[in-house]
């Protein structure tokens, strides 16, 4: 609501995030949601807490995943090509939401800068973006704070299918927490999807020529943020 008040962000723009996630999910055979979704359907769904309807909020599902972290040298002998950690950063800004310094700015601003600096890359170098979309506003906030658009422009940025399949920026390519799955600790799935994209394993949802992927996790009530930039062998 604060973002809407300050920048004119609309419920339709929030709904565009959910619609894009669903379009990606329809390309993922493992995704929980199997039916198309429209902006009017998001707006007309059961209201949970204004401005969020149930379609603005992540799923509740079972699920699990795992990652192996090893040295680049050891990874050379593995059966599948590795994804290399190019940069990472983290930030914790508050515990209670009432103590958040600015309700429209998250710690992703700090964690993202650290990750970009370590990787010697910028937002324009990223081919696939995997964001913790607990709510539709999260995607907008993180796209702004991670430098993909200016603060306050996230609502307009996600409109018109820009972050959907065939759009100019591939965001939450597995369907995200909004339409793929959300077993309570979704952050691991961001890394898994980033690795799969870098390996070219994603079939119909594969991002063409994907060499750099960004995974961004969120914890608490927008309290803690962590950004990891991964790359293929070609990025080293």
């Amino acid at each position: 609501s604060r973002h809407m008040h300050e920048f004119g962000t609309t419920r339709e723009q929030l709904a565009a995030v959910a619609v894009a996630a669903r379009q990606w999910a329809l390309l993922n055979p493992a995704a929980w949601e199997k039916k198309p979704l429209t902006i009017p359907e998001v707006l007309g769904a059961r209201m949970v807490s204004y401005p969020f309807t149930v379609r603005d909020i992540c799923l509740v599902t079972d699920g699990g995943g795992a990652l192996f972290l090893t040295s680049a040298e050891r990874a050379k002998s593995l059966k599948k090509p590795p994804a290399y950690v190019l940069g990472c950063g983290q930030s914790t800004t508050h515990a209670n939401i009432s103590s958040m310094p600015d309700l429209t700015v998250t710690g992703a601003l700090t964690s993202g800068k650290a990750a970009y600096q370590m990787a010697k890359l910028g937002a324009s170098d990223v081919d696939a973006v995997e964001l913790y979309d607990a709510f539709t506003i999260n995607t907008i906030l993180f796209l702004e704070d991670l430098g993909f658009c200016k603060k306050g422009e996230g609502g307009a940025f996600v409109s018109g299918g820009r972050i959907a399949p065939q759009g100019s920026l591939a965001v939450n390519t597995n369907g995200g927490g909004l339409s793929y799955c959300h077993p309570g600790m979704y952050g691991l799935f961001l890394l898994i999807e980033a690795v799969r994209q870098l390996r070219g394993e994603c079939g119909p949802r594969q991002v063409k020529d994907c060499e750099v992927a960004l995974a961004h996790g969120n914890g608490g009530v927008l309290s803690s943020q962590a950004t990891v930039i991964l790359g293929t062998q070609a990025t080293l």
Side-chain angles (χ1 to χ4, degrees):
S1 293
R2 186 65 192 177
H3 201 279
M4 296 168 75
H5 173 75
E6 285 199 29
F7 306 117
T9 309
T10 66
R11 288 188 63 211
E12 287 79 6
Q13 291 170 338
L14 293 172
V17 173
V19 170
R22 182 64 59 87
Q23 290 175 352
W24 282 110
L26 294 176
L27 302 176
N28 181 2
W32 180 265
E33 293 289 355
K34 303 295 185 183
K35 297 179 180 179
L37 183 66
T38 66
I39 288 178
E41 287 173 338
V42 176
L43 299 179
R46 174 172 57 87
M47 183 63 68
V48 176
S49 180
Y50 183 86
F52 295 146
T53 71
V54 68
R55 296 303 172 204
D56 286 283
I57 300 172
C58 61
L59 301 170
V60 178
T61 71
D62 291 331
L67 289 168
F68 288 94
L69 182 64
T70 187
S71 68
E73 185 63 29
R74 174 70 178 85
K76 292 178 181 179
S77 64
L78 300 180
K79 293 182 179 180
K80 291 187 176 183
Y84 296 90
V85 179
L86 306 180
C88 60
Q90 59 185 327
S91 174
T92 300
T93 52
H94 60 279
N96 299 321
I97 193 71
S98 57
S99 299
M100 190 171 178
D102 184 333
L103 289 171
T104 68
V105 180
T106 75
L109 187 66
T110 300
S111 65
K113 285 181 178 178
Y116 288 137
Q117 183 176 10
M118 185 182 296
K120 296 181 174 60
L121 297 171
S124 62
D125 299 306
V126 177
D127 301 308
V129 185
E130 313 298 341
L131 305 173
Y132 198 136
D133 54 343
F135 307 93
T136 49
I137 189 63
N138 289 43
T139 300
I140 290 174
L141 291 174
F142 298 153
L143 286 171
E144 292 175 345
D145 293 341
L146 292 169
F148 293 97
C149 61
K150 293 181 180 179
K151 178 55 62 179
E153 296 181 359
F157 185 84
V158 301
S159 300
R162 178 176 278 157
I163 63 172
Q166 312 307 320
S168 60
L169 183 65
V171 176
N172 292 343
T173 52
N174 57 5
L178 293 168
S179 281
Y180 168 39
C181 74
H182 196 292
M185 296 293 178
Y186 181 67
L188 186 63
F189 293 91
L190 301 164
L191 293 165
I192 291 172
E193 179 67 8
V195 171
R196 286 174 172 165
Q197 286 289 345
L198 293 171
R199 286 177 171 170
E201 296 178 339
C202 293
R205 71 180 191 278
Q206 178 62 47
V207 176
K208 185 179 180 181
D209 300 325
C210 186
E211 293 189 346
V212 177
L214 182 150
H216 180 78
N218 160 76
V221 281
L222 293 175
S223 308
S224 58
Q225 309 295 332
T227 310
V228 177
I229 299 174
L230 301 171
T232 64
Q233 174 72 40
T235 64
L236 299 181

